[in-house]
């Protein structure tokens, strides 16, 4: 990894960390700016096998976070709420950090992140949720893989 230092206006530091965390969590993009070739998850046997592969790579903290989303399909959770409920340090920024590696693992199998995200107000946290179909898929993967 390459260390990069940037200057950020003091009043925008929180916004910078949130943006950077979302960028880390997302699948890699082509340098040309073309959209990623990652496809959405579907509740199929093929995607179940892929979901099992990525689930085994998740850290325990990522498994706990995804577990909340799996167990409450279409329930929305702010970054602050997830951090508080799961004892994730650094609040919403910690949540974005927890999602960085799962984003890479999903990209490795050609799939998008299995949750949805919507930006919140400037300086506030966005919301995370999972559709019922994807929650069902990852619930099956979670249940079939030993911790």
């Amino acid at each position: 990894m390459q260390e990069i230092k940037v200057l950020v206006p003091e009043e925008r530091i929180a916004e910078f960390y949130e943006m950077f965390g979302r960028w880390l969590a997302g699948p890699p993009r082509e340098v040309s700016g073309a959209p990623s070739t990652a496809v959405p998850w579907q509740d199929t046997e093929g995607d179940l096998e892929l979901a099992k592969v990525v689930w085994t790579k998740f850290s325990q903290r990522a498994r706990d976070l995804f577990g909340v989303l799996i167990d409450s399909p279409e329930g929305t959770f702010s970054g602050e709420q997830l951090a508080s409920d799961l004892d994730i340090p650094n609040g919403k920024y910690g949540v974005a950090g927890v999602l960085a590696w799962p984003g890479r693992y999903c990209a490795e199998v050609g799939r998008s992140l299995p949750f949805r995200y919507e930006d919140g107000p400037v300086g506030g946290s966005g919301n995370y949720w999972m559709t019922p179909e994807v929650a069902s898929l990852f619930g099956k993967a979670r249940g079939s893989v030993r911790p």
Side-chain angles (χ1 to χ4, degrees):
M1 295 191 92
Q2 179 70 41
E3 180 180 7
I4 299 175
K5 296 181 180 183
V6 297
L7 297 175
V8 178
E10 189 171 340
E11 68 275 6
R12 298 195 65 197
I13 290 174
E15 181 184 354
F16 173 80
Y17 277 120
E18 183 174 10
M19 177 273 310
F20 186 64
R22 282 194 316 270
W23 177 80
L24 282 176
R29 302 279 181 190
E30 296 291 325
V31 173
S32 67
S36 168
T37 56
V39 297
W41 292 93
Q42 297 181 22
D43 196 358
T44 64
E45 284 302 315
D47 274 11
L48 176 57
E49 294 307 311
L50 295 176
K52 289 177 186 178
V53 168
V54 298
W55 184 266
T56 62
K57 296 180 179 184
F58 288 177
S59 67
Q60 186 58 53
R61 188 161 269 150
R63 287 181 183 193
D64 292 344
L65 193 154
F66 278 92
V68 169
L69 302 177
I70 290 166
D71 294 338
S72 300
E74 292 191 350
T76 58
F77 301 88
S78 71
E80 287 96 348
Q81 180 182 3
L82 289 167
S84 175
D85 292 351
L86 299 171
D87 198 29
I88 297 174
N90 302 316
K92 63 185 177 185
Y93 310 111
V95 169
V98 167
L99 295 171
W101 280 104
R104 289 182 181 106
Y105 301 142
C106 290
E108 286 174 2
V109 298
R111 294 295 181 268
S112 61
L113 283 165
F115 62 86
R116 303 278 175 92
Y117 176 83
E118 178 179 64
D119 281 329
V122 175
S125 178
N127 292 310
Y128 299 86
W129 73 94
M130 225 180 238
T131 64
E133 179 181 25
V134 176
S136 172
L137 174 72
F138 273 82
K140 292 174 195 172
R142 174 180 62 179
S144 67
V145 176
R146 292 209 174 276

